[in-house]
Amino acid sequence: MSVKKKPLVVVTRKLPDSIETRMRELFDARINLDDTPMSAEQILEAARTADVLVPTVTDHISAEVVNQPDCKLRLIANFGNGVDNIDVAAAHARGITVTNTPKVLTEDTADMTMALILAVPRRMIEGASILTDGKPWAGWSPTWMLGHRIGGKRLGIIGMGRIGQAVARRARAFGLQIHYHNRRPVAPVIAEELGATYWESLDQMLARMDIISVNCPHTPATYHLLSARRLKLIRKDAYIVNTARGEVTDEDTLIKLIEGGEIGGAGLDVYEHEPAVNPKLVRLAKAGKVTLLPHMGSATIEGRVEMGEKVIINIRTFLDAHKPPDRVLPSML
């Protein structure tokens, strides 16, 4: 009796142990044990040998990868919600299915967004560094390390999807007034629950907010959505928080405006040229003007395991000749 050959699944980065163990049980899984990012050539080779590729948001799956004459891929099961790292249209044209892991990291990312919304105006990281960096501290003083309260301030959310709404719920509990810009207004019941004011014009919203939170995905339409022109509309004492994608913001202009005192500051978890971080941003962080995190928004054990479980479900469903629950089509982007 012949044994059915397991499909070859190539995983580009190290995943939680429980997920890798389950993948080995179910598939002929090629795991990246040392977590070294795969080179462009290694990804090309994986596409020529694997039935299923499991990339992460830092792996670029271009048209060149899927259009190789000997590309063997049938499924690209992305370990991540955003799929801007994949040429979905090219994959679809070649008959390759693409999936992602939505709805898993909403609460984790919203938590980190809220943490930055609190940290930037209250100068938390700057204050903590006084103790950890061995700087002199004479004790409490009435006028030392003064920040700004957030209660009663206006929060402008760019992108009112699942994460934007989760941020709004947290922010409302802290007494912030909720405003948002989106491609279309949210359902009236959601707007009422959040006490949210919709702005069709992003320009008009930006000019009136105290804190701006970027929570939209990176797509061709949102690249530099916060352009140089729009960044100059923001008030001098306002703050920007970005836990979405760095490419949404014109980072060079943001830096110049903060350096010149034209924007109050920023809390960033993502960067335009990630993993490279502009040295000017680092200098601003050391000066207490910005708070920088190394893309930690979704970094919880629970979240990563749930992402892996979704990847496995998508692969198994696809291999069973059914439509994966998290299939991504070009028309959805």
Side-chain angles (χ1 to χ4, degrees):
M1 180 178 176
S2 63
V3 178
K4 186 178 180 181
K5 184 180 178 181
K6 291 182 178 180
L8 175 59
V9 176
V10 172
V11 184
T12 64
R13 299 295 295 269
K14 180 167 177 54
L15 303 184
D17 288 347
S18 61
I19 298 302
E20 291 185 339
T21 299
R22 187 59 177 148
M23 283 188 168
R24 285 185 178 275
E25 292 170 348
L26 294 171
F27 319 119
D28 177 10
R30 189 181 299 168
I31 305 297
N32 186 345
L33 294 177
D34 64 3
D35 201 32
T36 302
M38 293 176 68
S39 66
E41 181 52 46
Q42 287 173 321
I43 289 176
L44 286 166
E45 174 61 23
R48 292 193 290 265
T49 57
D51 301 290
V52 179
L53 181 65
V54 181
T56 67
V57 295
T58 60
D59 299 304
H60 187 48
I61 314 302
S62 64
E64 179 188 4
V65 173
V66 300
N67 286 332
Q68 297 178 91
D70 49 353
C71 178
K72 189 182 176 184
L73 290 178
R74 294 189 286 147
L75 171 67
I76 301 172
N78 200 43
F79 185 86
N81 182 30
V83 291
D84 50 302
N85 59 309
I86 301 170
D87 192 325
V88 177
H92 182 71
R94 280 295 299 265
I96 301 170
T97 299
V98 177
T99 62
N100 65 344
T101 59
K103 304 180 183 178
V104 171
L105 303 174
T106 298
E107 303 304 322
D108 296 332
T109 305
D111 285 344
M112 190 62 80
T113 305
M114 195 65 221
L116 285 171
I117 289 172
L118 290 166
V120 176
R122 293 303 306 271
R123 304 172 67 181
M124 288 184 187
I125 304 301
E126 186 184 357
S129 70
I130 298 295
L131 304 179
T132 59
D133 294 350
K135 300 174 184 176
W137 179 51
W140 182 88
S141 168
T143 57
W144 185 71
M145 285 296 292
L146 298 182
H148 293 276
R149 69 170 53 148
I150 66 167
K153 299 296 193 299
R154 292 185 175 90
L155 172 66
I157 298 174
I158 301 174
M160 201 62 152
R162 288 185 296 269
I163 294 174
Q165 291 174 33
V167 170
R169 291 188 181 93
R170 286 158 174 76
R172 194 179 187 199
F174 280 87
L176 284 147
Q177 298 176 35
I178 308 302
H179 297 251
Y180 73 99
H181 169 78
N182 206 40
R183 286 183 295 179
R184 60 185 66 88
V186 298
V189 64
I190 295 175
E192 183 176 356
E193 173 201 349
L194 301 175
T197 300
Y198 173 64
W199 292 83
E200 184 176 1
S201 167
L202 176 57
D203 289 8
Q204 291 183 15
M205 185 183 82
L206 291 174
R208 292 165 171 82
M209 297 298 110
D210 301 297
I211 304 170
I212 295 153
S213 178
V214 180
N215 298 109
C216 61
H218 172 222
T219 67
T222 62
Y223 175 76
H224 277 195
L225 182 67
L226 287 182
S227 61
R229 180 188 66 79
R230 284 194 168 122
L231 287 169
K232 291 174 184 177
L233 298 174
I234 295 171
R235 293 166 46 183
K236 290 186 177 182
D237 57 351
Y239 299 88
I240 295 176
V241 170
N242 189 356
T243 58
R245 285 290 187 270
E247 295 90 341
V248 176
T249 303
D250 181 340
E251 196 171 90
D252 287 339
T253 298
L254 176 64
I255 290 169
K256 290 176 184 176
L257 292 174
I258 295 175
E259 287 176 332
E262 297 301 311
I263 290 179
L268 306 176
D269 187 43
V270 291
Y271 307 93
E272 186 170 354
H273 304 292
E274 197 171 318
V277 178
N278 193 313
K280 293 181 180 180
L281 278 176
V282 177
R283 288 198 292 271
L284 285 171
K286 290 179 178 179
K289 296 293 185 180
V290 301
T291 296
L292 305 179
L293 295 176
H295 205 144
M296 294 169 58
S298 61
T300 67
I301 295 170
E302 297 86 350
R304 295 286 193 255
V305 170
E306 288 182 32
M307 288 171 69
E309 290 170 346
K310 271 189 170 285
V311 168
I312 290 172
I313 290 170
N314 282 319
I315 296 173
R316 292 197 68 182
T317 305
F318 176 81
L319 294 175
D320 287 339
H322 298 292
K323 288 183 179 180
D326 302 311
R327 187 182 183 193
V328 178
L329 298 173
S331 60
M332 299 165 62
L333 303 177

